[in-house]
Amino acid sequence: MPLGSEVLRLDRVGKRYPMGDVIVDALVDASFTLNEGEAVAILGPSGSGKSTLMHLLGFLDSPSSGEILFEGRPVAVLTESQRARIRAEKIGFVFQAFNLLPRLSVRANVALPLAYHGSPPADAADRVSRALELVGMTNRAHHKPGELSGGQRQRVAIARALVNEPRILLADEPTGNLDTKTAAAILDLFKELNRLGRTIVVVTHSPEIAANFRRQLHVRDGRVTEGGSA
Amino acid sequence: MNRLFSGVGNGFAEIWGHKLRSLLTVSCVMLGVASMVLTTGFMEGFFKNWEDSLQDQGGVEKIFVTAQGVKERQEPFAAVSPGLTLADARALRALVPQIGVISPEIDAARPRLARKGKTFEGRRGARVMGVTNAILEINRYEVATGRAFSELDLADDSEVILIGSKIRETLFAPGEEPLGAFIDFNNRPFRVIGVLRKYERLWGDYNTLDWKNEICFVPVTTMATKIQRSDRLSFLNFKAVDISLLREAVDAGANVLAQQHRGIIDFSVRTNEEQLASFASTKASFVIGGSAIAGVSLLVSGIGIMNLMLASINERVREIGIRKAVGATPFNIFSQFVAEAVTLSLLGGTAGVAVAVGLIKVLATTLPPGSTPLLSPSAFVVGFFFSVAAGVMAGIYPAIQAAKLDPIEALRYE
Ligand SMILES: Nc1ncnc2c1ncn2[C@@H]1O[C@H](COP(=O)(O)OP(=O)(O)OP(=O)(O)O)[C@@H](O)[C@H]1O
Ligand SMILES: [Mg+2]
């Protein structure tokens, strides 16, 4: 896939949560295109719809209106299995809430996406080790998530998103729980990955972090606007 | 293949992760299989016992001819019939090729057995029958020591006697040699030429085969000429050469007898078929009843598994969401749940079979021989197959439910 070609496109995408009498419009008419090799920061106040938008980008949720296209194909027409396949092989997702499996060790958590890869790489074990090394969690490989600090869990979640070497990395506040030094290291990792051609979308509250990304999207009350430097 | 394997691996991890839940599931299947195997085992034991006693009465190929009163319209002519005699046995032998063994039998009216002042009382008194060696074959008697009758014994109306084990125990002291000794049968001395095997099938304390031990045989000819003083037979039993020739043998036999008796039907010809039919119908109803019991127990175990699987899904909704989010397809999730169900069912099934075998072994030593359950391979196969099937079926429904969940919906689940 050549650099600059279209990866994801949103066409007037909306997400509406009917909550009894109240209707929450978490996302309204979001339209933008994400190209191969881009590095994007998503900014916005709490509750503005950033996570909602990320879930839609990772096919974890379906829009209430509008259309999402992946490599030019509408996601809605893909089968559940096809979407799972793309998630497994092309998209790495870092959840705001980490979402690690509590009963599995750190290593097993990181290895999880490899089990669902269509053609699991022969060097699966090495890849897990490398991913753990990238986030500096090698010494905690055999711990359970419950035995880790918030920041450590966050790093495990990042390692899991990287283990399949996905072309697209979607990270929902990946540095929220990290100290400045570790956050900087993770940011450097993302920048390096982007330099190698990966598409990266990162949600952040911090304008300083956002400043590291060439493109910024602002979300306010569910509306997405393009912004230069914050 | 690899996907299935990862499902199986996850299944194992999950089983280990929830030891109590897995134990309960395994117990459900185990109880289902064990009760199935035990129920079937008891049924098979019961029918085996019954079938054996049918065989002891001569088996299915046996045909019974007994003297009986003539019909009213034949009464004026009844006297022209010579009745059931030894001549009938010879005629049947000569004229009906479908007949194998023929056993003419005279039951002594009021036999008295005595020796050196001892008499035999027994439960129903002694029974002495005039027979040929055919009765040994038809009614399954074995001569334990000594010999059966010879041609000469029958031809010479010899005063020789074969005695049952109970008779020997009563009339002879332990260790005393009965062979060659004389015992009085209706005040005539008869020389003992053989002792019959001791038959035993206990029903509690009661030996259901005691009647076979309280019997004596003398040559039918001796009985006719010296004791009864007529060659009227009490019974004339014969066997068809083969079970497939049973009907033909019955019909041909009845025709020959009618001819012999000058058309007077003063005899009846019966077979074991009725008993066999009642055996078959009882067995059928027991099999249905037993299967229903076994089926219900399997169903209960299936519901148990299903319940545990559903509970585990609710508990694991978030996990399903996470797995789907990192790329698990519905099939991956599905196969994980099925693998789990299959593993637990197989474990439970194996444990159930082991428990059933153990119980049957223990029961075999504690229960009286007549009522012990049998180890039936078919019950194992059926029980095992059904338990695993029930487990898998029970696993499939929750597996489909689990596979259908939307990842983000599952992840929002609290
Ligand atoms: N399942 C849901 N049902 C109803 N409303 C929801 C649901 N999920 C999100 N919302 C609402 O949608 C809006 C956007 O939520 P979202 O999680 O996208 O915000 P966010 O920008 O990620 O906030 P934060 O920075 O705090 O993570 C919020 O008002 C939230 O209450
Ligand atoms: Mg959020």
Side-chain angles (χ1 to χ4, degrees):
Chain A
M1 196 64 56
L3 229 59
S5 65
E6 175 186 308
V7 180
L8 272 163
R9 178 147 59 93
L10 272 65
D11 190 10
R12 277 177 290 126
V13 168
K15 183 72 190 178
R16 166 174 284 189
Y17 296 108
M19 299 285 288
D21 300 342
V22 195
I23 288 170
V24 180
D25 277 306
L27 208 63
V28 186
D29 278 345
S31 297
F32 63 89
T33 303
L34 213 60
N35 293 319
E36 185 80 17
E38 266 192 305
V40 183
I42 297 181
L43 284 143
S46 177
S48 56
K50 304 182 295 295
S51 294
T52 304
L53 176 61
M54 292 296 272
H55 293 154
L56 290 171
L57 291 176
F59 320 160
L60 298 172
D61 209 354
S62 318
S64 314
S65 56
E67 199 176 38
I68 302 173
L69 297 101
F70 181 78
E71 292 176 353
R73 263 195 304 168
V75 172
V77 304
L78 299 176
T79 66
E80 177 61 29
S81 296
Q82 288 170 318
R83 269 179 269 175
R85 194 65 179 264
I86 295 172
R87 275 202 294 273
E89 294 169 14
K90 299 188 176 171
I91 301 177
F93 202 102
V94 183
F95 287 97
Q96 189 171 14
F98 321 138
N99 285 331
L100 301 174
L101 286 178
R103 271 194 314 279
L104 299 187
S105 70
V106 163
R107 230 194 129 75
N109 262 291
V110 173
L112 203 59
L114 291 170
Y116 300 122
H117 199 284
S119 48
D123 59 340
D126 291 345
R127 280 210 195 188
V128 175
S129 303
R130 242 182 293 144
L132 282 171
E133 213 176 298
L134 281 177
V135 298
M137 286 297 296
T138 310
N139 57 343
R140 289 282 186 278
H142 299 291
H143 287 239
K144 294 278 164 66
E147 300 155 6
L148 303 179
S149 73
Q152 288 171 324
R153 280 183 234 177
Q154 186 146 46
R155 284 185 279 158
V156 175
I158 294 168
R160 183 178 67 187
L162 297 177
V163 76
N164 266 343
E165 298 176 2
R167 279 179 35 218
I168 306 158
L169 182 67
L170 304 172
D172 197 348
E173 294 204 39
T175 55
N177 290 276
L178 302 180
D179 61 278
T180 358
K181 193 166 150 253
T182 322
I186 294 293
L187 207 60
D188 283 344
L189 173 63
F190 284 2
K191 281 200 265 188
E192 174 65 10
L193 289 171
N194 179 244
R195 201 182 57 76
L196 293 172
R198 307 280 166 74
T199 311
I200 290 179
V201 180
V202 171
V203 170
T204 179
H205 278 119
S206 144
E208 292 90 80
I209 290 174
N212 288 282
F213 295 83
R214 258 165 286 156
R215 183 180 173 193
Q216 279 113 32
L217 292 173
H218 291 271
V219 185
R220 198 173 296 272
D221 291 334
R223 286 170 203 281
V224 183
T225 50
E226 203 82 41
S229 281
Chain B
M1 182 58 219
N2 172 72
R3 272 152 198 256
L4 196 62
F5 178 77
S6 84
V8 172
N10 287 327
F12 272 118
E14 207 45 56
I15 287 164
W16 194 241
H18 292 92
K19 294 178 196 70
L20 180 65
R21 195 185 68 209
S22 306
L23 196 72
L24 287 173
T25 312
V26 169
S27 310
C28 280
V29 183
M30 189 188 78
L31 291 178
V33 177
S35 64
M36 162 101 191
V37 171
L38 272 180
T39 312
T40 325
F42 268 112
M43 277 193 334
E44 298 221 344
F46 175 68
F47 286 108
K48 173 76 169 46
N49 211 33
W50 190 353
E51 221 168 309
D52 282 352
S53 77
L54 268 184
Q55 287 297 331
D56 286 323
Q57 290 164 35
V60 203
E61 319 92 285
K62 188 170 167 186
I63 300 161
F64 311 81
V65 182
T66 41
Q68 89 173 9
V70 295
K71 291 246 171 62
E72 203 177 336
R73 62 185 170 79
Q74 287 194 328
E75 256 168 31
F77 322 107
V80 306
S81 165
L84 204 57
T85 65
L86 273 172
D88 291 335
R90 285 191 282 273
L92 288 174
R93 158 75 36 254
L95 297 172
V96 187
Q98 291 91 342
I99 292 178
V101 208
I102 300 181
S103 173
E105 299 165 16
I106 300 174
D107 217 345
R110 238 172 279 105
R112 290 181 310 282
L113 286 175
R115 176 174 179 264
K116 289 183 180 167
K118 287 189 237 175
T119 56
F120 182 80
E121 301 297 338
R123 210 180 284 265
R124 300 171 214 83
R127 189 174 189 202
V128 183
M129 300 183 79
V131 299
T132 64
N133 284 339
I135 197 165
L136 303 179
E137 183 175 335
I138 286 193
N139 285 0
R140 298 180 182 229
Y141 285 98
E142 274 170 52
V143 179
T145 57
R147 61 171 176 88
F149 301 120
S150 67
E151 296 280 326
L152 268 167
D153 291 334
L154 282 151
D156 294 353
D157 309 345
S158 306
E159 287 161 340
V160 292
I161 190 164
L162 281 167
I163 60 174
S165 61
K166 261 276 178 58
I167 314 285
R168 180 222 160 117
E169 285 163 23
T170 317
L171 298 185
F172 293 89
E176 201 176 349
E177 177 59 62
L179 295 183
F182 284 87
I183 60 179
D184 287 337
F185 167 36
N186 290 5
N187 298 326
R188 273 174 180 274
F190 275 71
R191 187 163 52 88
V192 177
I193 56 166
V195 181
L196 300 172
R197 209 190 91 192
K198 180 172 181 146
Y199 296 92
E200 192 170 63
R201 188 182 307 128
L202 292 170
W203 189 275
D205 283 341
Y206 176 59
N207 183 0
T208 56
L209 291 181
D210 246 1
W211 58 275
K212 291 188 89 166
N213 299 325
E214 300 177 352
I215 206 158
C216 289
F217 297 136
V218 299
V220 68
T221 48
T222 316
M223 184 72 106
T225 55
K226 296 184 172 160
I227 306 286
Q228 183 175 260
R229 298 181 198 286
S230 104
D231 68 350
R232 283 250 179 182
L233 299 178
S234 310
F235 317 103
L236 178 54
N237 297 330
F238 53 89
K239 263 186 158 175
V241 173
D242 185 88
I243 184 75
S244 63
L245 296 172
L246 185 70
R247 275 272 55 100
E248 278 181 50
V250 167
D251 292 345
N255 279 337
V256 168
L257 288 174
Q259 178 78 17
Q260 286 275 315
H261 296 197
R262 306 189 192 179
I264 308 297
I265 309 301
D266 53 357
F267 58 88
S268 75
V269 181
R270 288 180 302 114
T271 63
N272 260 340
E273 279 175 306
E274 273 171 33
Q275 276 204 54
L276 193 74
S278 88
F279 174 76
S281 69
T282 311
K283 189 167 181 170
S285 59
F286 263 70
V287 165
I288 291 170
S291 312
I293 295 172
V296 167
S297 55
L298 283 180
L299 194 70
V300 169
S301 76
I303 290 171
I305 300 176
M306 182 104 97
N307 192 20
L308 288 160
M309 292 302 269
L310 278 174
S312 84
I313 287 203
N314 290 340
E315 191 182 296
R316 286 159 61 187
V317 175
R318 278 185 64 82
E319 174 189 336
I320 290 165
I322 293 168
R323 287 184 185 275
K324 288 192 123 185
V326 300
T329 60
F331 177 74
N332 291 143
I333 302 289
F334 178 78
S335 66
Q336 175 181 340
F337 274 76
V338 171
E340 205 175 309
V342 170
T343 312
L344 290 176
S345 309
L346 284 175
L347 275 174
T350 314
V353 168
V355 164
V357 171
L359 268 177
I360 286 178
K361 287 260 161 73
V362 170
L363 288 176
T365 59
T366 54
L367 288 180
S371 47
T372 48
L374 282 184
L375 282 172
S376 139
S378 63
F380 287 122
V381 173
V382 170
F384 196 80
F385 174 79
F386 270 107
S387 79
V388 173
V392 174
M393 299 282 267
I396 280 178
Y397 171 72
I400 289 172
Q401 294 299 101
K404 271 203 300 222
L405 284 172
D406 195 19
I408 208 71
E409 246 170 50
L411 281 170
R412 275 196 205 108
Y413 191 90
E414 288 300 329

